Amino acid sequence: MEEKIVLSAKGIYKEFPGVKALQNVSFTLRQGEIHALMGENGAGKSTLVKVLTGVYEKDKGKIEVDGKVSEIRSPQDAQDSGISTVYQEITLCPNLTVAENMFIGRGKYHFVNRRAQEKKAEEILGKLNIPAKAKQQLGTCSLAVQQMVAIARAVDMECKVLILDEPTSSLDEREVELLFTLMRDLKKRGVGIIFITHFLEQVYEVCDKITVLRNGELVGEYTVSELPKVQLISAMLGKDLEDISNLRNSRREYSGKGEIVYEAEGLSSAEGVRPFNFAITKGEVNGFTGLLGSGRSESVRAIFAADRVTGGSVKVNGKDVKITQPKEAMKNGIGYLPEDRKGDGIIQDLSVRENLILALQVLKGFTHPISRAESEKLADEFIDLLEIKTASKETPIKSLSGGNQQKVILARWLLTHPQYLILDEPTRGIDVGTKLEIQKQVLKLASEGVSITFISSEIEEMLSVCSRLIVMRDRKIVGELKDEMLRQDVIMKTIAGGKEKNG
């Protein structure tokens, strides 16, 4: 017997000035189904979700909840219809207790019966197997548990439809599995779940159906078990990807002798990175891998001196150098694309052009400003080179998609002609097409002699671009893998129980 349809959107249109965001898009969610909404940045996923949740009002089309037409003109209308959303950025209050967060804003009167509230919260937490206590301050919980509390709040509000927008982007593998366990439990209880993510592996692990959007239009609805990954990516990009699984084989190796460009001995930082030895040769792409919290990002931050260096010696091109602050790293030809794009990478209110020339201006010194004409020429050159999608070079960078912001930061460092480039999560949260473009750019740079350290939470991606992996656990190096050892099973075993290599 076919499952009951809990949410149906038919023939949805939504336009903004100059942009047809949704054109005749339909979507169907069934009771007890986990349904992935997939597409590149700009495909229309966020717009569809905002129409379903009343943030945007549709121009045309029909939305039905439980078979009845529902006019959703505000988030409150969506909530009243049984549609709840948990966003990537947790919107709860970390200074309040779990129970207070679950019931905040839901009382009809000024009086709050805390004991009853905490008892109810404990019941819900227990029913959903969420590892938290009602009286516990939310800020003391892990990100995964905070996500679960947000979901518990949504589910308790009699939700029929739960929308999860990139809920796993900041979680490690163990936390992701906790979240998936909760999602499967909600599925058994009949909740329909819309799951938005860029992680293909997660889609195939937890979802039943996939709907793909491209350029604001519906490509199709698919059953996960019947859709190979390569076909999914082709549907998202609108073209065949014969080279999608052969990216690594397409690498053009650097033809030089492979002399050591950067070498550290006993390097440590104030962020708890244990002393480690590390070297990279000209034209090599290597990576630091390990679970979140393993110290992979802290290690490369120590190399760039983004965190305070507390010990160790460094050689660049065989000569002893002192690198205790980022500017010294930059003067020695080292560039660094940080993990936190918004916090550490871009200056949101500056234009694409202004963001692009920042590193070069730092190297020149602010007493020698880059002329407007030169900065415009450089911006045009790199917008074209990296195919950055922007209305103009003067557009505020905050208006660009995440993938295009990332390209601007990459262009910023390419402008300085680095000999060693550190890329920490350069493809996180961006669409598959842009991800491939960045990976190909990395391999192209390496073939031209640039040394690159590449960090990604996706092991498949690391295997695609890296010829050597440094494996970390508990902020120390526990293994180094290359050649025939570069396999996912070997990496996972090394992460789980490798022997300490140095430190």
Side-chain angles (χ1 to χ4, degrees), residues 168-457:
T168 63
S169 60
S170 300
L171 309 183
D172 64 28
E173 288 187 25
R174 182 184 58 81
E175 291 174 326
V176 168
E177 195 46 54
L178 275 175
L179 182 61
F180 283 178
T181 299
L182 176 56
M183 288 168 65
R184 292 183 183 110
D185 187 38
L186 293 173
K187 172 183 170 177
K188 289 177 186 174
R189 297 171 188 273
V191 177
I193 299 174
I194 300 174
F195 182 48
I196 301 172
T197 182
H198 284 102
F199 296 110
L200 300 188
E201 293 291 336
Q202 295 178 4
V203 170
Y204 280 84
E205 183 175 344
V206 78
C207 294
D208 305 299
K209 293 284 181 71
I210 301 172
T211 287
V212 177
L213 301 182
R214 186 173 69 244
N215 297 328
E217 297 180 354
L218 175 67
V219 176
E221 179 187 292
Y222 310 89
T223 301
V224 171
S225 60
E226 298 172 0
L227 183 69
K229 285 182 195 170
V230 173
Q231 288 184 24
L232 169 60
I233 295 169
S234 295
M236 290 167 65
L237 298 181
K239 58 186 176 184
D240 290 331
L241 291 174
E242 294 176 2
D243 62 340
I244 188 77
S245 59
N246 298 315
L247 181 65
R248 189 177 179 189
N249 297 331
S250 70
R251 181 190 290 122
R252 302 191 309 277
E253 297 288 350
Y254 173 63
S255 58
K257 295 179 181 177
E259 61 269 23
I260 294 175
V261 170
Y262 173 93
E263 186 175 9
E265 188 172 333
L267 192 64
S268 61
S269 79
E271 292 302 308
V273 176
R274 305 197 193 182
F276 68 96
N277 304 332
F278 171 74
I280 187 167
T281 57
K282 191 173 180 68
E284 177 189 2
V285 183
N286 67 22
F288 281 76
T289 189
L291 302 178
L292 284 177
S294 63
R296 60 193 190 193
S297 293
E298 290 79 4
S299 295
V300 295
R301 287 178 67 85
I303 292 170
F304 191 70
D307 296 327
R308 184 169 61 85
V309 175
T310 55
S313 60
V314 170
K315 289 182 179 179
V316 174
N317 298 324
K319 295 180 181 179
D320 290 316
V321 297
K322 183 180 180 183
I323 298 179
T324 57
Q325 54 182 322
K327 191 172 182 179
E328 292 167 350
M330 292 166 65
K331 286 182 176 178
N332 280 284
I334 303 173
Y336 168 59
L337 188 151
E339 178 183 22
D340 184 355
R341 177 172 61 229
K342 288 190 175 176
D344 297 332
I346 65 172
I347 299 179
Q348 298 200 40
D349 292 326
L350 294 187
S351 69
V352 169
R353 175 183 59 82
E354 290 165 324
N355 269 277
L356 203 144
I357 63 168
L358 272 175
L360 185 61
Q361 184 63 78
V362 169
L363 280 175
K364 283 178 172 286
F366 286 96
T367 57
H368 298 87
I370 299 170
S371 71
R372 178 65 179 253
E374 184 183 0
S375 69
E376 288 183 350
K377 181 183 174 185
L378 291 169
D380 285 336
E381 179 185 343
F382 279 87
I383 287 170
D384 184 54
L385 177 68
L386 296 183
E387 298 180 4
I388 298 169
K389 293 182 176 65
T390 177
S392 94
K393 54 182 170 284
E394 302 306 326
T395 300
I397 195 170
K398 64 184 177 185
S399 302
L400 272 60
S401 69
N404 284 296
Q405 289 176 2
Q406 203 75 307
K407 285 184 181 181
V408 172
I409 305 171
L410 181 58
R412 175 192 296 166
W413 290 110
L414 295 184
L415 260 178
T416 68
H417 302 289
Q419 60 175 334
Y420 175 28
L421 186 57
I422 300 166
L423 304 175
D424 191 354
E425 296 284 8
T427 65
R428 174 186 283 170
I430 63 179
D431 61 75
V432 175
T434 306
K435 182 177 290 193
L436 272 174
E437 288 174 31
I438 289 177
Q439 291 170 0
K440 288 178 179 177
Q441 186 69 39
V442 165
L443 296 182
K444 179 176 180 289
L445 289 168
S447 73
E448 295 168 355
V450 179
S451 305
I452 297 172
T453 291
F454 189 96
I455 294 177
S456 172
S457 299

Side-chain angles (χ1 to χ4, degrees), residues 46-70:
S46 295
T47 304
L48 179 59
V49 165
K50 286 177 179 176
V51 167
L52 294 175
T53 55
V55 176
Y56 295 154
E57 195 168 341
K58 64 187 184 304
D59 296 333
K60 195 163 51 170
K62 182 168 67 172
I63 297 172
E64 295 180 356
V65 179
D66 277 345
K68 297 177 182 177
V69 175
S70 182

Side-chain angles (χ1 to χ4, degrees), residues 75-87:
Q76 188 62 52
D77 287 344
Q79 194 169 295
D80 292 344
S81 297
I83 302 172
S84 293
T85 308
V86 176
Y87 295 99

